[in-house]
Amino acid sequence: MVFLKGVSALSRLRSRVKQHSSLSNSVRWLQTQTSSDLDLHSQLKELIPEQQERLKKLRAEHGKVQLGNITVDMVIGGMRGMTGLLWETSLLDPDEGIRFRGLSIPECQKLLPAAKPDGEPLPEGLLWLLLTGKVPSKAQVDALSQELRDRAVVPDYVFKAIDALPVSAHPMTQFATGVMALQVQSEFQKAYEKGISKTKYWEPTYEDALSLIARVPLVASYVYRRMYKDGKFIPVDDSLDYGGNFSHMLGFSSDQMHELMRLYVTIHSDHEGGNVSAHTGHLVGSALSDPYLSFAAALNGLAGPLHGLANQEVLLWIKSVVDECGENISKDQLKDYVWKTLNSGKVVPGFGHGVLRKTDPRYMCQREFALKHLPDDPLFKLVSQLYEVVPPILTELGKVKNPWPNVDAHSGVLLNYYGLTEARYYTVLFGVSRSIGICSQLIWDRALGLPLERPKSVTMDWLENHCKKAKAA
Ligand code: NMX
Ligand code: MLT
């Protein structure tokens, strides 16, 4: 009976899917709920066989279709422009930016449930969307918020592992150490040791992924409070959602900071598969390392200054501008400062991108947030000035493929405005957010049975010989 109810609800939902298919092929709508509709695990259990068949058919029918030619430039140039990964949760367009399961950031802001009318999207809603391809109802998001709160329990040895590090250790080192210590509880590792069949891998991966996502804000806020506050841990508030709770556990109580955190976590969650952190998580996961091991590896990539650490670098750089020139800096002074940075052999942090070729939409939505809530903040004004000054200079350099600002050019001034002023901590916030994208894809990696990742490498000798032969032929 319960099963039949589920089936008829499903066919109602499927007809809604068809009605809304003009919005996006990969996004489906759900508005009525049965109890299994509220449960993310049940939703996935239903979706997975469909998607397994889809992949099997794709490979059988189109396995030999070419996706492009690999050039020597691509091999030497960090695999730019080489399509080589399957990543279901999001897709990046060089001009338009990221789409999460087909939805742009403004569409997510409009369609995903919020904590209050016209509020920012709840990251749990995005998690649901990434995992299922469906826009969740508020009831589904509330159920997932509750599930994440229930899973948000961190054993004491995790905090002790962090405490073993000097308090001056970089926050990303402390955070990644905490995530490694969480691994002791991996359900995937236990199941593998017991000999689980590969057809079932996704289930303990799901358990680990959801628990990891639920627990990382606790580990991250512990690091923050240990380093910068009184060291007292603030427990989870049962009345708050994921983003609100993270902000609360860091020690912030304002409504606007909670809203900022919801937006922050949502937009930093996922950026297709080739970025350093996502790719690392996927690569390590392909060896059947569990989600904790895979995500800890991803964090170590995120901690690099050309990737996630750029958010720290941006605020430190902006503060160095203010220290040297004051807050009321003229355009010419700012230009000189940018040239001084470039001439000393450094990059301008927060500008440029490996794939994007226009202003990052994640920058734009943070700019809109600032225009709404902190239009007169001097550092926001400086960020706006940089938006005018930096791109023409980078263009003049003649080698920068994308002179426009990326996500990291903006995030620091927003956090700084609400009192989170410790720039060295910023990449940890990026890391917590990215757990949502990386862990979602890890579940699908195991559900689809994706194999060990092992591309071919060659030497310079090999390349030279290959090119000689190609020329002679
Ligand atoms: N300032 C100065 N030089 C730059 C910049 C920049 N913002 N962006 C690119 N270049 C240089 C780059 O270093 C390279 O120089 P060289 O040939 O001497 O090695 C040249 O321009 C060509 O680089 P691109 O092909 O345009 O960029 P690439 O794909 O190699 O690198 C980034 C992309 C993001 C690493 C690069 O733009 C950069 O270093 N930006 C500053 C750091 C930053 O904001 N990173 C955060 C990216 C977003 N995230 O969160 O991960
Ligand atoms: C990211 O969010 O991962 C960055 O924008 C870097 C990238 O996409 O390569």
Side-chain angles (χ1 to χ4, degrees):
M1 183 62 190
V2 174
F3 171 74
L4 283 179
K5 252 193 191 164
V7 170
S8 74
L10 250 161
S11 50
R12 278 202 310 278
L13 297 174
R14 288 207 172 108
S15 69
R16 278 171 200 268
V17 171
K18 284 189 191 130
Q19 285 164 24
H20 289 88
S21 62
S22 61
L23 181 69
S24 157
N25 287 336
S26 56
V27 173
R28 303 173 194 181
W29 286 68
L30 281 178
Q31 270 158 4
T32 47
Q33 273 95 33
T34 64
S35 63
S36 75
D37 287 337
L38 292 180
D39 174 39
L40 183 57
H41 185 270
S42 313
Q43 295 279 309
L44 272 175
K45 209 164 181 163
E46 206 175 286
L47 277 170
I48 284 171
E50 241 173 60
Q51 297 301 312
Q52 287 171 332
E53 274 314 301
R54 186 175 163 207
L55 187 69
K56 218 162 127 190
K57 188 162 175 262
L58 181 65
R59 196 160 187 186
E61 291 178 6
H62 306 292
K64 301 281 179 289
V65 172
Q66 288 214 333
L67 288 176
N69 289 321
I70 294 173
T71 62
V72 173
D73 255 348
M74 288 168 166
V75 172
I76 299 172
M79 297 193 275
R80 272 330 163 278
M82 206 190 265
T83 303
L85 287 170
L86 185 67
W87 193 269
E88 284 294 280
T89 49
S90 64
L91 186 66
L92 185 63
D93 178 88
D95 294 324
E96 197 196 35
I98 196 66
R99 278 184 180 268
F100 302 113
R101 292 281 187 175
L103 292 186
S104 67
I105 288 175
E107 284 167 347
C108 284
Q109 285 177 298
K110 205 165 137 203
L111 297 173
L112 289 177
K116 56 183 198 181
D118 293 325
E120 299 301 343
L122 290 164
E124 300 88 317
L126 186 85
L127 171 60
W128 189 291
L129 174 72
L130 294 184
L131 274 172
T132 65
K134 301 171 187 176
V135 172
S137 65
K138 182 69 166 61
Q140 287 170 321
V141 170
D142 288 345
L144 184 53
S145 288
Q146 185 59 53
E147 176 167 2
L148 291 173
R149 281 193 298 272
D150 292 344
R151 288 176 185 261
V153 181
V154 171
D156 211 38
Y157 57 76
V158 172
F159 301 125
K160 286 192 176 133
I162 295 171
D163 287 343
L165 293 168
V167 78
S168 58
H170 193 278
M172 280 300 277
T173 306
Q174 301 196 37
F175 182 44
T177 300
V179 172
M180 277 305 295
L182 281 176
Q183 191 276 340
V184 174
Q185 294 199 320
S186 170
E187 293 297 326
F188 184 88
Q189 190 188 46
K190 275 187 223 148
Y192 195 84
E193 281 171 4
K194 283 191 191 143
I196 187 177
S197 153
K198 54 166 74 174
T199 56
K200 296 200 162 65
Y201 283 167
W202 80 267
E203 301 250 16
T205 302
Y206 175 91
E207 289 306 314
D208 281 356
L210 272 264
S211 296
L212 187 156
I213 293 167
R215 290 168 190 169
V216 285
L218 279 76
V219 176
S221 45
Y222 183 81
V223 171
Y224 182 71
R225 304 219 35 104
R226 172 178 192 243
M227 291 186 74
Y228 304 115
K229 301 292 167 187
D230 53 10
K232 285 198 191 114
F233 185 72
I234 301 175
V236 169
D237 178 338
D238 267 336
S239 69
L240 281 171
D241 54 281
Y242 189 82
N245 241 319
F246 185 25
S247 158
H248 156 78
M249 287 186 288
L250 289 167
F252 299 92
S253 52
S254 89
D255 229 37
Q256 272 185 31
M257 179 62 170
H258 291 357
E259 277 291 272
L260 173 63
M261 199 56 82
R262 291 171 188 127
L263 178 67
Y264 186 103
V265 173
T266 299
I267 63 174
H268 284 79
S269 61
D270 203 27
H271 216 231
E272 73 170 32
N275 66 76
V276 172
S277 52
H279 187 188
T280 305
H282 175 78
L283 168 69
V284 174
S286 84
L288 296 186
S289 305
D290 63 60
Y292 295 98
L293 297 173
S294 308
F295 180 65
L299 284 178
N300 292 328
L302 194 70
L306 295 187
H307 188 24
L309 202 83
N311 60 7
Q312 152 185 325
E313 295 301 286
V314 167
L315 199 77
L316 295 177
W317 187 80
I318 287 178
K319 286 194 168 165
S320 73
V321 175
V322 174
D323 285 348
E324 193 165 310
C325 315
E327 268 173 3
N328 293 321
I329 183 168
S330 72
K331 226 173 167 177
D332 283 341
Q333 274 177 303
L334 204 47
K335 279 184 190 165
D336 288 347
Y337 200 89
V338 172
W339 276 115
K340 194 171 112 179
T341 301
L342 292 170
N343 292 336
S344 64
K346 294 191 244 172
V347 295
V348 181
F351 286 79
H353 200 271
V355 178
L356 282 169
R357 292 297 174 255
K358 293 270 168 65
T359 299
D360 192 333
R362 297 171 298 178
Y363 174 94
M364 287 314 289
C365 78
Q366 293 182 90
R367 180 171 163 77
E368 273 153 32
F369 190 96
L371 285 168
K372 190 165 155 196
H373 298 293
L374 45 134
D376 300 322
D377 177 57
L379 291 192
F380 168 54
K381 287 188 175 158
L382 189 48
V383 163
S384 302
Q385 265 182 299
L386 287 167
Y387 192 15
E388 286 176 40
V389 164
V390 175
I393 297 180
L394 291 183
T395 305
E396 201 180 319
L397 273 187
K399 61 176 182 179
V400 181
K401 297 200 187 63
N402 173 35
W404 301 106
N406 60 56
V407 65
D408 301 315
H410 216 305
S411 52
V413 293
L414 299 180
L415 297 162
N416 186 71
Y417 178 79
Y418 290 109
L420 210 169
T421 55
E422 299 85 357
R424 285 178 90 231
Y425 184 76
Y426 289 171
T427 312
V428 176
L429 302 172
F430 197 155
V432 168
S433 317
R434 190 109 324 169
S435 69
I436 291 181
I438 292 176
C439 288
S440 296
Q441 181 59 39
L442 280 172
I443 296 170
W444 276 106
D445 288 349
R446 298 291 76 79
L448 295 172
L450 297 188
L452 181 83
E453 193 175 290
R454 203 323 185 168
K456 174 85 186 89
S457 69
V458 291
T459 60
M460 280 203 264
D461 270 350
W462 188 97
L463 280 177
E464 282 159 357
N465 287 333
H466 179 84
C467 295
K468 255 187 232 152
K469 278 189 219 153
K471 208 171 170 190

